Amino acid sequence: MDWDQEKATATVAEFVRMPGGLLPALHSLQEAFGYVPAEAEAFLADQFNLTRAHVHGVISFYHDFRREKPGYHQIKVCGAEACQAVEGRDLLAHIEKKLMVGAGGTSDNGTFSLDVVYCLGNCAAGPAVMVDGRTYGRVTSQRFDQLISIAQKKRLQQGAEND
Amino acid sequence: MTDQKSTQASTRIFIPADTTALSVGADEVAKTILERAARDDVAVEIVRTGSRGMCWLEPFIEVDHPDGRVGYGPVTSADVASLFEKNFLAGGQHRLGHGLVDLMDYLAKQDRVVFARAGITRPDSLDDYMDHSGMTALDAALEMTPQAIIDEVKASGLRGRGGAGFPTGIKWQTVADAPIDAKKGDRKYIVCNADEGDSGTFSDRLVMEGDPFMLLEGMIIAGLAVGAEKGLIYLRSEYPLAHQRLNTAIKILQDDDWLGDNVAGRGKRFDIEVRLGAGAYICGEETALLESLEGNRGQIRSKPPLPAIEGLFGQPTVVNNVISLATIPAIIAAGGDAFAGRGTGRSRGTMPFQLGGNVARGGLVEVPFGLTLRELIKDFGGGTQTGKPLKAVQVGGPLGAYFAEDKLDTPLDIEAFAAAGGMIGHGGVVVFDEAVNMAEQARFALEFCAAESCGKCTPCRIGSVRGVEVIDKIMAGVDTAANHMLLKDLLTVMEDGSLCAMGGLTPMPVKSALDYFSVDFEPAPRKPGESL
């Protein structure tokens, strides 16, 4: 979604007076817009009475905050040791090939964003992958392909309902 | 969380609803059981609990039986038909059956203090919690003086479970004795570090998803002990389910006056709020965590001042790990001495270890300190998942050492591990079979440090990047002797010149890989004519 000042103002209103409210405000903006649009920097600096440099520094520090529009499906693959021990690296290679996107990127058609994260906390049932906010365990290449086709079907259904 | 088919003579089936169980299809199993029961016109009641922590058996379902709960797992939707055919509702024999859950070796051999209720109670039921001795410690604490609570924690010998192992009672004493800085505000804080970022660790998650009231009770007691009126849980964003469960539990306690302006009607104030992290590993370091809570970049602070004296918003602050705080109710309820009676050396009490990676029976193992690493991996874990020989074990997360087979007899004791060149940390144990290449793991440790360094100390920020390059050169066969020396030098600079454990301990896994698995660092022989 594109920047909408009014919507942004309403979104962050409850955090402006909260001590340390900048992170919760950024989370809520990201939830509302899908990412943290560039306009948010000056906007938040104004709202929180901070310098733009400070706001920029915070946004760029945290891996979670996206500065570009994400793909429709967000895939997070656990890249930490416990998943490495159960062929997580091979799974990541498969996923990159399957989705035609490298870690940290969004596929050209805007369908998938792929990120490597350090630990989904599912270390005794790895490899672990998060698809659209839900964690899956014991993911093989085959199971990943199934998960993706289910997610895409859901999207098509939703699209049909919205039409 | 209860789907009631019929109140009359319905059989209760317990299905965990933690991330691991859900990640392998627990919801689908529950749905299939309900459908099948409806078809057969059998009355069942599905109760969604936390997890027992036997992750390899998930989805692990339990059926109420006069002798106790009978367990089956790992159950998939496809197994449901045969479970009904074998009459699992009456505890019937089935190839996935494990008999009475309480008698299962994996659980019977543990000494569960923190995880006593795990998998038994519903995470969103205060009644369940109180039926299983929940809130008795808080009741007792409300009758005690703050100093008496602190003395009990000191007597327990509890040391921080987040990894540093600092005595919790002493930290609390410091905060209790530190004055509020009236220029900066009017209160002290209890901050719960729930940024469980170490790979191979999930005990905090299991507590928050399965028994959240226990953590909240521990935080309220901490507040009473040190005179703090505000608790903040800094939760990692990778745990969305824990976020929901904590918020639900906090709401229930607020509605029931366990939290708020009049805790349990005794005129004490304490409230708790959850704040989400944003995917930065370094925010598990306590001062970076405080910076993040204040709305800043998660850059670490130099110590002193200690957070206990000048912590969140400049006020005296207790920063404790989830498990440390979750252990408090058991300590207050049974007395510090009972906890201190377990364990070995200066590592007192029980520790929830987490077995993960390439291990046959991965899960949560809470035992007193003192067991050997081998007993943990072989007796509980059952060796590797693939059945291939074990090659390496990493204990204590990404900053912990890799041990080879010959170090497996090290006792699980904070000092013994340090003496062996490793650390127990938050209790994560990640097992690797022979397929692992340790040069690749060493490279990863540095790569991870480069990605997650907060950037404050140059040896950590730049050294990690240079370290990756040097390992790449070694593996490519470029000036190997000189580059080995350079790498050693670099690691020493990181150890000596970094303020926190990120830069200071990243060398640990790298060095252990170099020391015990030097063969893996020999460059692959080049094919004739192949250039570098």
Side-chain angles (χ1 to χ4, degrees), chain A residues 27 57 62-64 84 121-122, chain B residues 20 205 237 277 279 296-297 441:
Chain A
H27 274 298
Y62 296 96
H63 301 306
D64 275 5
Q84 291 169 358
N122 203 17
Chain B
T20 298
R205 178 177 65 70
S237 61
N296 303 324
R297 290 163 68 88
Q441 295 310 115

Side-chain angles (χ1 to χ4, degrees), chain B residues 253-267:
Chain B
L253 292 189
Q254 284 167 341
D255 289 347
D256 233 24
D257 281 334
W258 289 101
L259 284 174
D261 290 337
N262 190 9
V263 173
R266 311 288 183 89

Side-chain angles (χ1 to χ4, degrees), chain A residues 18-20 22-23 27 54 57 61-64 79-82 84-85 89 118-119 121-124 134-135 137-138 143, chain B residues 20 22-23 55 58 199-200 205 236-237 275 277-279 292-293 296-298 356-358 394 398 431 441 444 448 452:
Chain A
M18 178 191 269
L22 187 57
L23 248 71
H27 274 298
H54 181 101
F61 183 85
Y62 296 96
H63 301 306
D64 275 5
E81 292 88 340
Q84 291 169 358
R89 287 190 178 100
Y118 296 111
C119 204
N122 203 17
C123 317
R134 208 186 137 172
T135 301
R138 297 179 201 139
R143 181 147 188 256
Chain B
T20 298
L22 296 176
S23 81
C55 301
E58 298 290 5
S199 172
R205 178 177 65 70
R236 62 201 303 262
S237 61
R275 291 282 182 94
S292 185
L293 274 178
N296 303 324
R297 290 163 68 88
N358 196 329
Q394 188 179 31
V431 179
Q441 295 310 115
F444 174 75
F448 180 73
E452 298 297 335

Side-chain angles (χ1 to χ4, degrees), chain B residues 44-68:
Chain B
V44 298
E45 180 194 345
I46 300 223
V47 182
R48 302 305 295 268
T49 61
S51 167
R52 296 268 192 179
M54 298 189 287
C55 301
W56 85 101
L57 292 178
E58 298 290 5
F60 184 68
I61 70 172
E62 302 175 30
V63 179
D64 230 355
H65 188 272
D67 299 333

